Amino acid sequence: EFAIEKQQETIDSLLQKQIDSKRRTISYALIGGLLVLLVVLWMGFQRNRALNKINQLLAQKNQEIHLQNERLATSNDELRQFAHVTSHDLREPLRSIGGFATLLERRFNGELDTKTREYLDFIRTGVRRMDALLADLLAYSAIGILEQKFEPVSIEQIISEIIEKFHAE
């Protein structure tokens, strides 16, 4: 009986050690799991902080871009207005030049030699070209304000006009 009791005590002791070992293993696993969970939470927190900083920077840059776009729009409006006013103001003296060239031709029609007529033609051609350029500048200043209508153009006609314009040069 004593030997059986001794063996029973040994078995009970071994069972208790086994239970204690399982408890320690479970405790270590729980502590390890908690540590892993804490590390994951800390990494998530750090990632969230970094994303918040990035979002703040993006919001700031978007605000700067918005302000630059507003400044650019204002600058474009001022440039359009300047081109509009300038083209109008430059057309008036141009009309005077064309008008005086026409008056000279009418007044001295019979007295003009070929070279003088050619010079008056150059003046009128230059006035027409400058007037067309100013009209184009005026049309350009209206881009974005008025709806533009596009139409086909004749390349041959454009080339002919260019050759005509630079023929004297």
Side-chain angles (χ1 to χ4, degrees), residues 32-92:
L34 284 174
L35 285 175
V36 168
L37 180 63
L38 287 174
V39 167
V40 168
L41 287 174
W42 181 77
M43 289 172 58
F45 174 75
Q46 292 298 326
R47 182 176 178 269
N48 193 29
R49 275 184 43 194
L51 287 174
N52 283 341
K53 284 182 182 179
I54 290 170
N55 284 338
Q56 287 174 349
L57 286 172
L58 284 174
Q60 181 182 2
K61 291 299 177 186
N62 281 337
Q63 181 67 23
E64 289 173 13
I65 289 171
H66 179 72
L67 290 174
Q68 288 296 334
N69 283 341
E70 285 179 355
R71 288 183 191 138
L72 183 60
T74 301
S75 177
N76 283 341
D77 288 342
E78 289 172 357
L79 184 60
R80 274 191 211 100
Q81 187 177 13
F82 174 76
H84 182 77
V85 168
T86 302
S87 66
H88 270 294
D89 289 349
L90 291 176
R91 286 179 104 179
E92 182 56 38

Side-chain angles (χ1 to χ4, degrees), residues 102-156:
T102 301
L103 285 175
L104 281 173
E105 185 177 32
R106 285 182 188 162
R107 174 129 190 237
F108 300 105
N109 189 17
E111 304 170 25
L112 298 176
D113 62 4
T114 307
K115 204 61 162 164
T116 306
R117 285 185 193 284
E118 186 179 344
Y119 292 158
L120 286 172
D121 284 340
F122 284 145
I123 290 172
R124 280 193 297 277
T125 302
V127 166
R128 281 193 302 273
R129 281 192 348 230
M130 180 62 87
D131 190 56
L133 289 172
L134 291 172
D136 291 344
L137 180 62
L138 187 60
Y140 177 76
S141 70
I143 290 177
I145 297 171
L146 304 174
E147 183 178 324
Q148 297 298 311
K149 295 179 183 175
F150 296 99
E151 55 188 51
V153 294
S154 166
I155 296 295
E156 294 85 15

